Amino acid sequence: RFRVAEMLRGTESREIDILGSRTSCDLQFSPGQDWLIYAFTTSDGEGLSTSTCSRSRPLKLALDDLDYARKVSVMLGALCHDFGKPSTTQLLEGRWRSRGHDEAGLAPTLSFLERLKVYTLEGFDVREQVLALVRDHLKPGDFYRARAEITDGAFRRLARRCELELLYRVAKADTLGRNAEWVPRERWFTAEAQDWFIARARELAVGSRPPARILLGRHLMKMGLKPSPRLDHKQAAAAA
């Protein structure tokens, strides 16, 4: 039995049973694993199943299930996320620090994207997404460290700035990319913070899309407000 963190298509159930066929085509599931499941109705119509011939796979291996534009966004986000370090790195209290490198990385990233002529791909605003990934790539770790106080609203607000599934991948690559072979294994970084972050985002159903607005322009117009830029400001204030 699986608890559904986010349903991309099909049933609205919060829990589903995946039935096996008791053949070599059955996938081997373990408790606690996160999976991306491509399910199909069993031949008797009594339930759902999947198999090794499907595209089902552990979620950590599911990058291939991103569309091309989002793959490019993750690639460029991973490439550009530390562009702000050269201008911010200082020796402070005996350690090299790069405070503020996330914000400082925006200008060089924008210049880089300009040179590559990166704008939109397949209708997806890659440029805007990459800039958001650079600006917010530290947020999964920040949220994890403050997890006792962090609110659902903080996740929803962040989901309006960038896609959290993409942010998760960039932040995880940033962390695990530090684990060089010559570093003793006991000093290796883990992805605990990033995995906690995306699990919480999926529970809130904001991993792949921002939450729906609760206040729309038509609601304000029913209150007597006329169409104007002020409507957008009021909607944004309500969303925050």
Side-chain angles (χ1 to χ4, degrees):
R1 172 165 289 191
F2 283 84
R3 180 172 56 84
V4 179
E6 185 170 1
M7 181 62 67
L8 302 180
R9 184 182 300 174
T11 177
E12 296 298 322
S13 300
R14 303 311 299 173
E15 290 188 346
I16 59 171
D17 291 321
I18 299 295
L19 306 178
S21 58
R22 298 188 178 184
T23 70
S24 60
C25 291
D26 285 347
L27 289 164
Q28 301 301 310
F29 301 117
S30 298
Q33 286 185 328
D34 293 323
W35 280 71
L36 176 67
I37 298 292
Y38 287 86
F40 51 84
T41 304
T42 54
S43 57
D44 58 10
E46 295 297 318
L48 296 174
S49 186
T50 190
S51 75
T52 55
C53 296
S54 74
R55 295 176 65 195
S56 297
R57 69 197 70 187
L59 196 60
K60 64 183 180 181
L61 302 179
L63 179 63
D64 286 345
D65 289 90
L66 294 177
D67 59 38
Y68 176 68
R70 285 171 172 80
K71 287 181 182 179
V72 171
S73 298
V74 170
M75 178 192 71
L76 290 172
L79 175 64
C80 300
H81 74 280
D82 279 345
F83 275 10
K85 281 193 171 181
S87 64
T88 59
T89 300
Q90 295 178 298
L91 185 62
L92 300 171
E93 300 174 355
R95 295 186 63 183
W96 290 103
R97 304 282 189 180
S98 302
R99 292 173 180 168
H101 76 274
D102 43 356
E103 290 288 342
L106 292 176
T109 297
L110 181 58
S111 176
F112 180 70
L113 297 177
E114 287 277 4
R115 293 184 65 183
L116 293 181
K117 307 296 184 187
V118 173
Y119 297 96
T120 62
L121 285 173
E122 301 173 349
F124 183 73
D125 195 337
V126 172
R127 173 177 294 204
E128 180 182 8
Q129 194 63 219
V130 172
L131 290 170
L133 293 172
V134 169
R135 180 187 59 225
D136 293 323
H137 73 273
L138 298 177
K139 284 293 191 293
D142 292 342
F143 278 26
Y144 179 75
R145 285 187 288 274
R147 60 191 179 278
E149 295 84 28
I150 207 75
T151 65
D152 293 350
F155 277 85
R156 294 187 178 106
R157 287 189 291 274
L158 186 60
R160 292 190 179 97
R161 292 161 56 132
C162 66
E163 286 197 18
L164 302 191
E165 289 284 353
L166 309 188
L167 183 63
Y168 159 68
R169 288 167 166 82
V170 171
K172 187 169 183 176
D174 180 27
T175 295
L176 298 185
R178 307 174 191 181
N179 296 335
E181 288 297 327
W182 59 83
V183 177
R185 290 299 178 99
E186 62 271 17
R187 294 178 56 191
W188 275 26
F189 292 91
T190 72
E192 180 179 354
Q194 292 76 27
D195 291 342
W196 170 88
F197 172 85
I198 198 58
R200 180 90 175 266
R202 289 168 183 158
E203 287 175 2
L204 297 172
V206 294
S208 300
R209 62 184 66 85
R213 289 182 179 271
I214 60 174
L215 183 64
L216 302 177
R218 66 174 182 268
H219 301 143
L220 295 172
M221 292 171 68
K222 284 182 179 180
M223 297 169 60
L225 294 175
K226 296 181 179 180
S228 74
R230 292 181 59 195
L231 288 186
D232 292 333
H233 296 154
K234 291 181 181 298
Q235 285 181 276

